[in-house]
Each structure stands twice: as structure tokens, then as C-alpha cells.
Amino acid sequence: MTVLFGDFEDFSHLDLHLLAAADAHERAQIRLDRVRISARAQGMLPDYHRDDIAAARSGSWRLLRRDELGDEQPERLGGRLYLLAFEGLVRYIKVGMVEGRTLAALRDRVRRHEHAAEIHHCFLFDAWASQPCTTDQAAKQWEDRVLGRLNTLVNGDQVWRVHQEYFYGIPFDMAMTAIEVERPEVDGAPRHPGVVYQE
């Protein structure tokens, strides 16, 4: 079944138990990768299945929203970093930060990125968000350091940057490595990965 792009289901408010589990997410990612690789070998555009897109998006939202199992954070300073991977006609990552600690701030930002990606026939494939930093400035410093590190990989042939925070040709795992390498260099960055809150 060929996917028709347009107005994807909104997973940002769906109950967490209805979102794709880790194994379903991973299986969908594998199938989507196979379709992309096969299409490239044949010189064609990928023909993604709607169910695989939904599972990849839903599983990505589960990763972004897993912090909701504990508690809603109060409104105050303490931005966090996020990394989004998009798949579709092109494959790219987006590194950014969101100010504040509330769940709504991250949800709104990711929804806006999803909408922009959908316009270009791309969809959310993988996602990560940090714990809150102690301040918005710490999150911004962490973001700047990660972007600086990723910019060293830009070579114009297989890896290139668009609009400062968007990169084509950098795998999600490589961007995660850059995030982890820069974490200890920033005062106020969370001590360990993931969205597990600490006071």
C-alpha cells in the first residue's frame, strides 16, 4: 500500500499505552530502512507503507513522552536538548533546544517540526529529548557545543547542513554520540541521558 502524505495522526496527546512499544518501533524502522535502500538501488523513490510510518512516528513520540510517567514539571527555567530524525524523500536530523521544563513546550516544538517535515513528504523516524538542564542558558550552551561538533563533519559531499540545526547525511546515532560527548563539558547539563527528571 502506497503512503499518501497529509495530516498524520497526532501522537502528542495519545495515551502512552496506545503508542508503539520499543519492539514495534524498531521493526518498523527496519522495514522503512529496507524500503529506502531498495528504492535507492533501483533509482526510484521509496514507497513507504502507512502502517510502518505510523509505528515509527508513534514509537518516536513514546521516546519523547516517556517522562510523563512520573510527573508534570512546574513552569520554570531549565531547557532541554532534543534530537529528531526524519525520513521520507530525504533523510535528515534536527538538533535543537526548548526553553522551560513543561511537557507542553517540547510537544509543541516537535509538532511544529513534524508539520514542516510533512510538507516536504517526510515523517518522524526517531527521537530523543534530554532531562531538563538547570537553566535555559545551560541548554543553549549544550546545543551550541553539539552543533559545533556536528558542523565539523560537514564536507559538502555526503554531509551537509541547512539552516544551522538541520543536517543531511549524519546518522541519528552519530548525533547522539556528539550529544553525549558534549554533556560533561556543560555546567548544568543533566547527569545522565534520557528524560528522567531529577531535582
Side-chain angles (χ1 to χ4, degrees):
M1 173 182 175
T2 302
V3 63
L4 301 173
F5 287 87
D7 296 330
F8 287 138
E9 181 178 2
D10 183 3
F11 292 112
S12 66
H13 289 88
L14 204 61
D15 287 344
L16 280 172
H17 73 279
L18 298 176
L19 295 174
D23 58 340
H25 182 214
E26 185 176 347
R27 285 194 305 269
Q29 287 177 317
I30 291 169
R31 287 190 297 270
L32 292 165
D33 276 338
R34 287 179 180 158
V35 168
R36 179 181 47 78
I37 292 166
S38 175
R40 177 180 286 171
Q42 298 173 34
M44 300 173 63
L45 293 176
D47 187 18
Y48 298 116
H49 193 280
R50 181 174 288 279
D51 291 344
D52 289 334
I53 291 174
R57 290 185 58 246
S58 178
S60 296
W61 272 102
R62 177 183 285 276
L63 292 171
L64 288 169
R65 295 179 51 201
R66 62 186 169 195
D67 57 323
E68 297 175 30
L69 298 173
D71 57 339
E72 170 73 52
Q73 290 293 300
E75 180 63 63
R76 64 176 182 210
L77 299 178
R80 38 187 169 162
L81 219 57
Y82 62 85
L83 171 62
L84 307 174
F86 292 93
E87 180 67 74
L89 294 180
V90 294
R91 177 179 246 201
Y92 66 94
I93 61 166
K94 164 71 170 87
V95 177
M97 58 98 41
V98 62
E99 295 180 350
R101 300 170 75 101
T102 64
L103 300 171
L106 180 63
R107 281 184 182 187
D108 180 60
R109 182 69 56 86
V110 175
R111 274 200 315 267
R112 284 189 277 142
H113 288 309
E114 267 202 302
H115 178 69
E118 185 179 350
I119 290 169
H120 299 286
H121 296 274
C122 295
F123 56 90
L124 188 61
F125 182 79
D126 211 345
W128 171 88
S130 73
Q131 299 171 304
C133 295
T134 55
T135 65
D136 292 340
Q137 292 78 14
K140 180 64 177 149
Q141 182 185 7
W142 192 12
E143 176 194 38
D144 289 344
R145 291 185 66 91
V146 171
L147 291 173
R149 182 170 288 277
L150 293 177
N151 274 307
T152 65
L153 303 174
V154 173
N155 63 22
D157 185 25
Q158 295 181 344
V159 176
W160 65 99
R161 174 179 53 92
V162 179
H163 299 300
Q164 298 178 342
E165 299 175 349
Y166 293 84
F167 296 88
Y168 296 89
I170 296 180
F172 186 84
D173 291 342
M174 187 179 291
M176 277 304 307
T177 299
I179 287 169
E180 292 307 317
V181 165
E182 294 300 337
R183 176 199 309 276
E185 304 303 318
V186 178
D187 289 335
R191 289 191 298 258
H192 35 111
V195 256
V196 180
Y197 290 110
Q198 292 181 342
E199 287 300 327

